[in-house]
Amino acid sequence: MKKILNVFIVLIVLLYIGKVSINTISGRDKTVPLRYGTLSESIKTDGYIVLDEMIIDSPIDGKLNMIVEDGTRVPKGKEIAEVVSQSFDKEKLAELNSVNKKIQDIKSDKALNPYVNDIESLNSQIDELNKEYKESKDSKVTNNIKKKIEDLMSKKEQILKNGPASVRNLDELYSQKKELEYIISQNLYKIYSPEAGIVSNFFDGYEDILDVNKLFNVNNNDINLIKKEPIERTGSVKQGEPIVKLINNYNWYILVVLNNDERKKLKEGKDVKIDIIEENGQLLDGNIVKIYSISENSHIAVISMKDAYSDFYKKRKVSVNLIINDYDGFIVPNSSIVYENGKYGIYKLGDNDLPVFKEISIKAQNNENAIIESKDDSLKMYDQILVNGKDYLKK
């Protein structure tokens, strides 16, 4: 009886081994060779672009004309736009151009250079003193300024009296030029860049909310307000309406919204890579400046950007992947990982092509794959592992 029982047990073991071998050979338990790979740990979330920008309002009602193309970086003092009133007199502009040409013709005569330089210098000093005179409220100061102006006017009269007739013509032309420029300026306002930066006329109305001076004070209500993208401002504009921006492209930020679990993965001061998710997305470098809470389960990470992003001034809300870490090691499909007797592991084909459990630690994981390490260093490159470890475990 005992012999019959032993034979029966041996038969059962042989049948089991045969079944496993058949399953493996037949492809029901697929295998892949173990290889090295890289896996990025990332967080997909919404990002909000915050710019260091100077906003210029329209000084008059009129039509906005951009002098430089949107997105152009300009130096300080560059003419970037103009606003033309409906009352603008084109004939006055033509008259001014004619006066400027006559002035240039006289100045091109080298024999007149000493007189021209003296007249221009005196006029410049007189104009500056006139400004001080209008701004001063101290009678003693104004009397002193008035005396200086009179002295300069006297010097100019002497030059005009003793110099060539063309110099007197030049001074009259300067007077005409000043008068025409004043008339034109009431209906044609030229805008110059107060600082170097990128010119943009894209607005969305959130400039006061997403401001570099309010980076650490954005709340849930602010975030919920962001529903539209910037649009280009062209054509007719009203006095006091924002018409053009000057952007510091070396100082911009992305605010990202995180839940509690995501917040635990990030630390202030840590560098991260940001993948802008769009048709022509870009991978950018940034640094986490600060993380703060905006609700019980929501947090904002303020990321200072180190790289430029094409057309970033035309965007407000973007989908991003925050790439936290890159992990190297053996890469396996998640389906191959099993949890058995309190241990994580995979099944490797051993002797006689029988699957053998190998304990592992998981370094990183996404929706499809994982980077693993062998607990006893027994895993090697090109070892055959079961793709469907979880299915095998159920057998």
Side-chain angles (χ1 to χ4, degrees):
M1 184 68 181
K2 194 171 182 178
K3 282 186 177 181
I4 294 173
L5 182 60
N6 288 338
V7 170
F8 182 72
I9 292 172
V10 169
L11 286 173
I12 291 174
V13 170
L14 289 173
L15 284 172
Y16 174 76
I17 293 173
K19 180 183 177 184
V20 170
S21 299
I22 291 169
N23 286 344
T24 302
I25 293 169
S26 66
R28 286 180 60 190
D29 292 327
K30 295 180 181 178
T31 64
V32 291
L34 197 60
R35 290 189 173 93
Y36 283 109
T38 301
L39 197 64
S40 295
E41 183 181 10
S42 64
I43 298 171
K44 185 177 180 180
T45 184
D46 290 326
Y48 300 87
I49 292 177
V50 181
L51 304 175
D52 180 5
E53 55 194 359
M54 184 180 296
I55 297 174
I56 301 172
D57 297 336
S58 178
I60 57 174
D61 292 352
K63 181 183 178 183
L64 173 65
N65 295 325
M66 295 300 294
I67 304 300
V68 299
E69 187 177 350
D70 189 86
T72 304
R73 181 171 173 82
V74 297
K76 181 179 180 179
K78 171 77 173 178
E79 183 182 350
I80 55 178
E82 65 181 15
V83 182
V84 183
S85 168
Q86 290 183 346
S87 305
F88 176 67
D89 188 346
K90 292 183 179 179
E91 292 183 2
K92 293 293 182 185
L93 182 59
E95 192 176 340
L96 176 61
N97 290 335
S98 176
V99 168
N100 282 331
K101 185 178 184 307
K102 291 176 182 177
I103 290 173
Q104 194 57 47
D105 289 342
I106 294 174
K107 290 174 68 174
S108 63
D109 187 346
K110 293 182 180 179
L112 299 176
N113 279 354
Y115 299 100
V116 170
N117 292 338
D118 288 343
I119 292 296
E120 287 186 337
S121 176
L122 289 167
N123 281 339
S124 177
Q125 293 177 63
I126 291 168
D127 288 343
E128 192 63 36
L129 287 169
N130 276 324
K131 289 180 183 178
E132 293 180 22
Y133 183 85
K134 291 177 182 178
E135 294 172 359
S136 177
K137 296 180 180 179
D138 188 327
S139 59
K140 289 183 179 180
V141 174
T142 54
N143 288 335
N144 186 41
I145 294 173
K146 187 176 180 181
K147 178 66 172 60
K148 289 181 180 180
I149 293 173
E150 289 172 353
D151 290 342
L152 292 172
M153 290 294 291
S154 177
K155 288 180 181 179
K156 190 171 90 165
E157 287 299 325
Q158 288 297 317
I159 296 172
L160 295 174
K161 182 179 178 180
N162 299 319
S166 54
V167 174
R168 289 189 287 277
N169 291 338
L170 178 64
D171 194 57
E172 290 175 5
L173 289 169
Y174 278 140
S175 296
Q176 292 177 37
K177 174 183 171 73
K178 187 182 293 186
E179 183 180 351
L180 286 167
E181 285 178 339
Y182 175 77
I183 294 170
I184 291 171
S185 69
Q186 304 307 301
N187 298 292
L188 173 63
Y189 191 91
K190 292 184 177 294
I191 299 169
Y192 299 88
S193 55
E195 299 292 343
I198 289 179
V199 174
S200 172
N201 60 330
F202 277 76
F203 291 85
D204 55 19
Y206 307 131
E207 287 79 13
D208 288 337
I209 298 172
L210 298 180
D211 185 323
V212 288
N213 296 315
K214 301 177 182 177
L215 281 173
F216 310 135
N217 295 304
V218 175
N219 57 46
N220 233 340
N221 291 333
D222 295 333
I223 292 299
N224 292 333
L225 284 175
I226 312 302
K227 298 182 184 297
K228 60 182 181 181
E229 288 299 310
I231 57 174
E232 189 174 13
R233 183 151 294 164
T234 56
S236 297
V237 294
K238 296 292 185 182
Q239 184 178 13
E241 183 178 50
I243 54 172
V244 66
K245 298 177 180 179
L246 200 68
I247 301 166
N248 179 358
N249 57 305
Y250 299 116
N251 184 36
W252 66 287
Y253 301 83
I254 293 181
L255 308 184
V256 294
V257 181
L258 310 168
N259 60 34
N260 285 338
D261 291 335
E262 292 166 341
R263 190 259 176 271
K264 294 174 184 176
K265 298 179 180 180
L266 299 179
K267 292 182 180 180
E268 293 180 0
K270 183 177 181 180
D271 288 339
V272 291
K273 288 193 177 293
I274 308 210
D275 180 18
I276 306 290
I277 305 172
E278 56 177 28
E279 186 176 349
N280 297 311
Q282 299 179 43
L283 192 62
L284 310 174
D285 289 321
N287 178 267
I288 301 171
V289 177
K290 189 176 180 64
I291 304 174
Y292 59 92
S293 300
I294 57 174
S295 72
E296 187 176 343
N297 189 43
S298 293
H299 314 269
I300 283 182
V302 181
I303 302 176
S304 175
M305 303 305 299
K306 300 179 181 180
D307 294 328
Y309 167 46
S310 62
D311 293 346
F312 70 102
Y313 57 91
K314 295 181 182 179
K315 302 286 185 181
R316 184 62 78 179
K317 182 178 179 180
V318 289
S319 294
V320 300
N321 264 330
L322 298 185
I323 300 174
I324 305 168
N325 289 301
D326 287 326
Y327 294 94
D328 298 322
F330 291 127
I331 187 166
V332 298
N334 287 333
S335 59
S336 68
I337 299 174
V338 298
Y339 188 71
E340 186 176 1
N341 299 323
K343 298 177 181 179
Y344 285 101
I346 59 171
Y347 280 102
K348 163 190 166 182
L349 289 188
D351 297 337
N352 300 318
D353 288 334
L354 295 179
V356 179
F357 180 83
K358 292 293 181 180
E359 186 181 358
I360 61 166
S361 60
I362 301 172
K363 293 173 63 178
Q365 196 168 20
N366 62 18
N367 292 332
E368 298 177 356
N369 299 306
I371 296 291
I372 64 168
E373 281 184 342
S374 173
K375 281 287 190 177
D376 58 7
D377 294 327
S378 62
L379 292 176
K380 306 296 180 186
M381 279 277 285
Y382 305 115
D383 282 346
Q384 294 292 321
I385 63 166
L386 266 62
V387 173
N388 300 310
K390 293 177 182 178
D391 292 344
Y392 178 79
L393 190 61
K394 296 175 183 177
K395 296 174 183 178

